[in-house]
Amino acid sequence: MRRLLNILASALAIGLGLTTLLGLLSGEGALGVLTSALLQIVVIIAAVAILLGLLNLLIIHIVRVVRLRRGFLYSLALVISALTVLGLWLADRDDDTAALLQTAQLSVESALAGLLAFALVYGAYRLMRRRVTWGAVVFTVALLIILVGALPLREVSGIAQIRDWLLAVPVSGGARGLLLGIALASVVAGVRVLTGQDLSYRE
């Protein structure tokens, strides 16, 4: 009985997936309307799943704080941060609150961007220190051009143009390649689970 239910669930998932794909490709008629409805259902399910995951995360860390388990201070910081962000989001109608939330978000994004730049520079240093290869040289030169081109100086306007070209052509192409790779890997993993070659989490 369980195997039959798994087969029916796999057939239903494959059928709905193919229907959604055909609807996205056609975009018109009854198939397009059905695809739009399916996508809306998926969005609602994903939102509910995220909400349940957030509640589960908060409950786990609240229990850790109440019972004073190891690392409860980190759990307390997480709970306070989550509740603060949730409260600011609920009070987003107030202009001052929205400005406060936006300011905090911009500060966090700036800090993460700074850490990313530092990680890239450190990675280039490690590459050049370990072994000087053409790949390491190209990576280091491209990184220097992008970092110097980001400086707000008139003297580096030529470098800024090269930087814009690098971001528009090679970096954009690489990002699209990564997205295609992620999409193909997701499709392959889903097909392997649906066809029974890999075990799903429900088993």
Side-chain angles (χ1 to χ4, degrees), residues 36-67:
S36 178
L38 290 175
L39 290 177
Q40 291 178 3
I41 293 173
V42 169
V43 169
I44 294 173
I45 294 175
V48 173
I50 292 174
L51 180 61
L52 292 177
L54 177 61
L55 291 176
N56 182 44
L57 181 68
L58 288 176
I59 290 172
I60 290 174
H61 286 279
I62 288 173
V63 170
R64 180 177 295 178
V65 171
V66 171
R67 297 182 179 179

Side-chain angles (χ1 to χ4, degrees), residues 50-51 53-62 65 73-91 101 104 108:
I50 292 174
L51 180 61
L54 177 61
L55 291 176
N56 182 44
L57 181 68
L58 288 176
I59 290 172
I60 290 174
H61 286 279
I62 288 173
V65 171
L73 291 178
Y74 298 107
S75 299
L76 180 62
L78 185 143
V79 171
I80 293 175
S81 301
L83 294 179
T84 302
V85 172
L86 182 60
L88 292 176
W89 178 75
L90 292 175
L101 181 60
V108 173

Side-chain angles (χ1 to χ4, degrees), residues 14-175:
I14 293 173
L16 292 177
L18 291 176
T19 302
T20 304
L21 179 61
L22 293 175
L24 291 174
L25 292 176
S26 63
E28 296 178 355
L31 193 58
V33 175
L34 178 60
T35 299
S36 178
L38 290 175
L39 290 177
Q40 291 178 3
I41 293 173
V42 169
V43 169
I44 294 173
I45 294 175
V48 173
I50 292 174
L51 180 61
L52 292 177
L54 177 61
L55 291 176
N56 182 44
L57 181 68
L58 288 176
I59 290 172
I60 290 174
H61 286 279
I62 288 173
V63 170
R64 180 177 295 178
V65 171
V66 171
R67 297 182 179 179
L68 298 178
R69 293 179 178 175
R70 182 178 180 182
F72 73 95
L73 291 178
Y74 298 107
S75 299
L76 180 62
L78 185 143
V79 171
I80 293 175
S81 301
L83 294 179
T84 302
V85 172
L86 182 60
L88 292 176
W89 178 75
L90 292 175
D92 199 16
R93 297 179 181 178
D94 189 3
D95 293 337
D96 295 334
T97 306
L100 178 61
L101 181 60
Q102 185 177 5
T103 302
Q105 183 178 357
L106 289 176
S107 301
V108 173
E109 290 177 355
S110 300
L112 291 176
L115 289 175
L116 177 61
F118 176 78
L120 289 174
V121 172
Y122 182 71
Y125 164 73
R126 291 291 300 271
L127 282 175
M128 297 297 290
R129 182 181 178 183
R130 180 178 300 176
R131 184 180 178 185
V132 179
T133 60
W134 284 107
V137 172
V138 170
F139 177 80
T140 304
V141 171
L143 177 63
L144 291 176
I145 290 175
I146 291 176
L147 292 179
V148 174
L151 297 176
L153 299 175
R154 296 180 180 179
E155 292 79 4
V156 296
S157 59
I159 298 178
Q161 294 178 358
I162 300 175
R163 168 185 172 272
D164 294 337
W165 179 84
L166 286 174
L167 293 177
V169 180
V171 174
S172 179

